[in-house]
Amino acid sequence: MSGGTSQAPELSEVSHDEIERIVDGTHHDPHSVLGAHHSAAGTVVRALRPLADSVAVVLPDRRRFPMTHVHQGVFEVRLPVSEIPDYRIAVAYPASTEDEALPETITDDPYRHLPTLGEVDLHLIGEGRHEQLWRVLGAHASEQADGTAFAVWAPDARGVRVIGDFNHWDGRAHPMRSLGASGVWELYVPGVVSGARYKYAIRGPDGGWHLKADPMAALAERPPATASVVFDSRYEWGDQAWMTARAGREPLSGPMSAYEVHLGSWRPGLSYAELADQLAAYVTDLGFTHVEFLPVAEHPFGGSWGYQVTSYYAPSARFGTPDEFRHLVDRLHQAGIGVIVDWVPAHFPRDEWALARFDGMPLYEHADPRLGTHPDWGTLIFDYGRREVRNFLVANAIYWLEEFHIDGLRVDAVASMLYLDYSRGPGQWAPNALGGRENLDAVSFLREVNATCYKRVPGIMMIAEESTAWPGVTRPVHLGGLGFGLKWNLGWMHDTLSYLSRDPVFRHYHQNEITFSIMYAFSENFVLPLSHDEVVHGKRSLLRKMPGDQWRQFAGLRALLAYQWAHPGKQLLFMGSEFGQEAEWSEQAGLDWQALDDSRPGHEMHQGVQRLVGDLNRVYAGHPAMWRRDFSPEGFSWIDASDTAGNVLSFLRLAGQDDADGTAGVIACVVNFSGAPHLGYRVGLPSPGRWREVINTDAIVYGGSGVGNLGAVEAVAEPWHGRPASATLALPPLGVLWLAPG
């Protein structure tokens, strides 16, 4: 390949000033001087080898042509050939000691290679529409040759060098070229292979050098180290059956109970490969349909949740390589478990080696601090109005879905993106062009990323963590919505935990807190989250949020979980809550698995919660009434929401595919949030006949007191609660019953 075939300047025409700009790192196109070029008398080859003792061109036929030092480490020779040959550069450096000479090295010349980005790529980057941006930017080891192509977007830079293991972190010999108005700088470096560490040295408009990790790196060094790493994936997937089925699936009308996991503290010390075995087996055994990982993308502080992302395209190296993360996803898919990943386009940290002021100027962040800084988190906010920044984020979402076969992205902190005045007082924000407080650029970005992901990757889910009443979060973009598939129901979470934190004696004053969620349950497609946010430092575990003694706390937790699974919407539960973790989350200690040991006092209660969660998942998955119409009023019907004195709720879940007697696809749920049993409690039902007790959270096997109905009740044709039939039940204290006909 040739760096160009245009007429090159003779040596006498290459000024020392131009060479000094190359050496100084401020030349926008070093390839125009370095490399091989046609001249009137043959072919001129120039090479940049600072500190070299001697340099020569070596042709394929082994002929050698010594080069002459011109200025500041630039060497030149005129070859007696008309065509530009496939040459190499032989370099010898001065002896390191008087007695030891350094061996000569023969290497390929970076400046004889054409750009690795084509015109179409540059056009799409300029328009902000390159949906597979990771394939052209970043570091890509060549499949045909021994080398790596580096490309980085830095439009304000005066010069860019690539530095790394391969040049002793001295980039003087590897200045990159600017590819015109695209803002992309590019260089192919022979001899650099997968595993090499690197960064970019960027000369900013201020004249200073800024050492930056690659925003598009596929792998980063394990923190606290901060270099990027060349990585060439060789993974062969085994989840073809899952992926084929996913493409034809409508996830909103299927069962979904997600187990939320922080990779570093589920079982501390496990790698991606070890998690593939242990986590897949555990989640399968408990019957969860999905795993949701807190952010997997690289972040500096391992003791955090991971929401301060510094390398958006790199799975964290703390647990292994990107291909080992692919293996984890693959194993989960082969076990029939979907994978959701938390994604953080709302903000990024200020670490000077990462995205902040990337080319010496605000680039990924908005230049206006009212739009570009987050007052609560001390972070920077993406410039959603800049097309290249939007492209970076949209392509990143696609990257996780396509490259890692992720089944859904849960988008963090959407509310902070939507409102210009989020956490800002008067004078700290500026209205939009219409005079409102909505961030119109962020709204446009969210619509773009959702529409693009659903278009490219059928069967996936885009999930919003959005805490306000913004209308149409899960309405399609073409109907004026934000285009998400699902939204976390933080109102349900807050009201439910507030109600259950009260002593049962006082709950009858707050019945509206527990029933209010049904008033808006079908306004969006909701996920019901009991997430990591509820067990963080100072908030107590779910178990310890419950009032009363230990027995009541466990009974309250079991009732909460059965109520959550029965409520319209999909379910999400943070790790540890499935067995009644007593302590708050700790990044160092991980989960208290010892609580389940038979030798541990009280282990029966923890084992009981865990057994209940497994049974909830299995009964839930086996009854379409519990999930088929989660987002339709036809899938839910109150039996009685008015028993405030008894702290009882009763309702039906309906699949909408009734048989002749109107009972198929129906589950009756009766919830007793009082601290006492209700014996002889009559409940209206859709039909007479036998109703099986498919869940009783007070069963002895769950650690309960055993109050119940011996497995079934007989409903009679006596109208009650506006239903044609009814049954008399024994309602356990702090207990939930699920009844199925038959």
Side-chain angles (χ1 to χ4, degrees), residues 312-493:
Y312 274 78
Y313 286 78
S316 179
R318 292 176 178 86
F319 316 110
T321 69
D323 278 356
E324 288 169 332
F325 178 65
R326 287 180 171 92
H327 173 66
L328 169 58
V329 176
D330 201 354
R331 285 290 299 275
L332 288 164
H333 281 174
Q334 292 179 49
I337 300 163
V339 180
I340 302 165
V341 167
D342 276 15
W343 186 53
V344 194
H347 62 120
F348 60 92
R350 296 174 179 266
D351 299 73
E352 62 180 12
W353 51 268
L355 294 181
R357 297 184 67 88
F358 183 75
D359 57 5
M361 298 290 287
L363 183 63
Y364 288 92
E365 69 270 37
H366 202 289
D368 185 340
R370 296 175 298 177
L371 295 168
T373 60
H374 200 292
D376 285 350
W377 304 324
T379 51
L380 299 174
I381 300 172
F382 285 103
D383 184 353
Y384 304 109
R386 186 162 189 167
R387 57 183 179 271
E388 297 94 341
V389 174
R390 289 163 65 115
N391 195 166
F392 172 82
L393 292 170
V394 172
N396 185 241
I398 298 168
Y399 174 75
W400 289 99
L401 298 172
E402 293 188 350
E403 288 291 321
F404 296 100
H405 291 194
I406 300 303
D407 303 293
L409 297 177
R410 177 263 194 187
V411 183
D412 180 64
V414 171
S416 73
M417 301 168 66
L418 293 175
Y419 297 98
L420 296 168
D421 62 346
Y422 187 90
S423 291
R424 298 179 189 274
Q428 296 178 328
W429 62 282
N432 61 35
L434 303 177
R437 65 190 186 104
E438 300 82 9
N439 188 331
L440 301 179
D441 288 335
V443 171
S444 176
F445 159 70
L446 290 170
R447 288 171 171 165
E448 179 182 354
V449 72
N450 286 327
T452 304
C453 288
Y454 277 117
K455 174 193 69 176
R456 287 189 64 100
V457 195
I460 55 95
M461 296 176 286
M462 300 295 288
I463 306 168
E465 187 221 9
E466 204 283 315
S467 56
T468 74
W470 185 281
V473 172
T474 57
R475 187 180 303 137
V477 170
H478 69 275
L479 296 179
L482 292 182
F484 286 95
L486 294 160
K487 171 183 171 175
W488 274 22
N489 192 338
L490 298 173
W492 172 89
M493 176 275 298

Side-chain angles (χ1 to χ4, degrees), residues 125-365:
I125 290 171
E127 290 196 340
R129 296 190 299 109
H130 203 304
E131 294 178 358
Q132 291 186 310
L133 191 64
W134 68 92
R135 296 193 182 277
V136 293
L137 297 185
H140 298 279
S142 173
E143 297 180 1
Q144 292 78 30
D146 181 15
T148 295
F150 295 93
V152 62
W153 179 60
D156 297 313
R158 292 184 177 178
V160 182
R161 295 166 172 169
V162 60
I163 62 175
D165 295 326
F166 44 88
N167 58 18
H168 307 289
W169 299 93
D170 183 344
R172 285 179 293 174
H174 291 106
M176 304 176 76
R177 67 175 145 201
S178 172
L179 299 180
S182 67
V184 174
W185 297 75
E186 180 270 347
L187 184 66
Y188 179 84
V189 183
V192 178
V193 297
S194 188
R197 299 178 303 156
Y198 71 99
K199 281 188 177 182
Y200 298 113
I202 300 175
R203 189 79 174 265
D206 58 358
W209 286 98
H210 308 272
L211 302 186
K212 294 289 188 175
D214 188 349
M216 305 294 298
L219 176 62
E221 271 192 295
R222 181 167 181 163
T226 60
S228 302
V229 182
V230 178
F231 183 80
D232 184 22
S233 176
R234 299 295 186 201
Y235 192 75
E236 295 183 6
W237 289 90
D239 64 347
Q240 291 79 8
W242 172 273
M243 296 297 286
T244 300
R246 187 185 78 178
R249 187 183 301 142
E250 172 45 66
L252 299 186
S253 61
M256 175 182 165
S257 60
Y259 183 60
E260 191 185 30
V261 173
H262 178 252
L263 286 167
S265 59
W266 185 69
R267 286 178 178 160
L270 295 188
S271 66
Y272 290 131
E274 292 165 328
L275 284 160
D277 293 328
Q278 298 186 33
L279 183 60
Y282 184 76
V283 174
T284 300
D285 185 59
L286 284 183
F288 285 97
T289 65
H290 291 74
V291 166
E292 179 170 324
F293 292 128
L294 272 64
V296 176
E298 195 61 86
H299 49 279
F301 180 42
S304 71
W305 291 126
Y307 291 95
Q308 302 267 356
V309 176
T310 46
S311 294
Y312 274 78
Y313 286 78
S316 179
R318 292 176 178 86
F319 316 110
T321 69
D323 278 356
E324 288 169 332
F325 178 65
R326 287 180 171 92
H327 173 66
L328 169 58
V329 176
D330 201 354
R331 285 290 299 275
L332 288 164
H333 281 174
Q334 292 179 49
I337 300 163
V339 180
I340 302 165
V341 167
D342 276 15
W343 186 53
V344 194
H347 62 120
F348 60 92
R350 296 174 179 266
D351 299 73
E352 62 180 12
W353 51 268
L355 294 181
R357 297 184 67 88
F358 183 75
D359 57 5
M361 298 290 287
L363 183 63
Y364 288 92
E365 69 270 37

Side-chain angles (χ1 to χ4, degrees), residues 631-701:
F631 311 123
S632 168
E634 287 74 26
F636 176 91
S637 180
W638 282 115
I639 296 174
D640 183 19
S642 61
D643 186 2
T644 58
N647 300 140
V648 175
L649 306 174
S650 53
F651 54 87
L652 300 176
R653 295 302 311 277
L654 306 159
Q657 295 185 350
D658 298 347
D659 61 10
D661 65 3
T663 60
V666 178
I667 295 287
C669 306
V670 187
V671 183
N672 178 17
F673 281 133
S674 76
H678 295 315
L679 306 179
Y681 193 94
R682 185 171 291 278
V683 172
L685 292 170
S687 65
R690 186 173 183 266
W691 287 74
R692 293 176 294 115
E693 199 177 64
V694 292
I695 288 291
N696 179 350
T697 64
D698 195 49
I700 292 175
V701 293

Side-chain angles (χ1 to χ4, degrees), residues 490-639:
L490 298 173
W492 172 89
M493 176 275 298
H494 178 271
D495 290 346
T496 299
L497 293 181
S498 173
Y499 175 86
L500 290 178
S501 68
R502 305 178 190 278
D503 190 285
V505 172
F506 303 107
R507 287 176 181 169
H508 67 280
Y509 295 114
H510 303 277
Q511 186 84 348
N512 61 308
E513 289 184 14
I514 202 69
T515 60
F516 178 66
S517 61
I518 298 300
M519 299 292 291
Y520 62 88
F522 310 108
S523 62
E524 301 276 7
N525 302 332
F526 283 121
V527 175
L528 310 177
L530 294 175
S531 74
H532 63 281
D533 280 330
E534 305 319 310
V535 298
V536 75
H537 304 299
K539 287 192 174 182
R540 297 174 295 170
S541 66
L542 286 187
L543 178 68
R544 294 305 183 217
K545 292 179 192 292
M546 303 297 141
D549 59 18
Q550 183 186 53
W551 189 93
R552 290 188 174 217
Q553 286 183 333
F554 274 100
L557 176 60
R558 295 192 302 268
L560 166 62
L561 296 175
Y563 169 67
Q564 178 190 16
W565 257 248
H567 192 287
K570 310 305 183 185
Q571 295 80 42
L572 177 134
L573 186 67
F574 184 60
M575 63 183 198
S577 297
E578 81 279 8
F579 61 80
Q581 169 94 8
E582 296 188 32
E584 297 171 340
W585 172 77
S586 165
E587 65 275 19
Q588 291 89 13
L591 300 185
D592 185 17
W593 296 107
Q594 294 78 14
L596 297 166
D597 291 347
D598 290 343
S599 60
R600 181 89 165 253
H603 68 274
E604 302 92 347
M605 304 298 283
H606 294 283
Q607 291 176 353
V609 175
Q610 188 183 55
R611 186 176 293 113
L612 171 65
V613 169
D615 287 348
L616 287 173
N617 276 327
R618 281 181 277 275
V619 175
Y620 165 82
H623 289 80
M626 304 300 282
W627 41 263
R628 180 171 287 151
R629 291 189 168 187
D630 268 328
F631 311 123
S632 168
E634 287 74 26
F636 176 91
S637 180
W638 282 115
I639 296 174

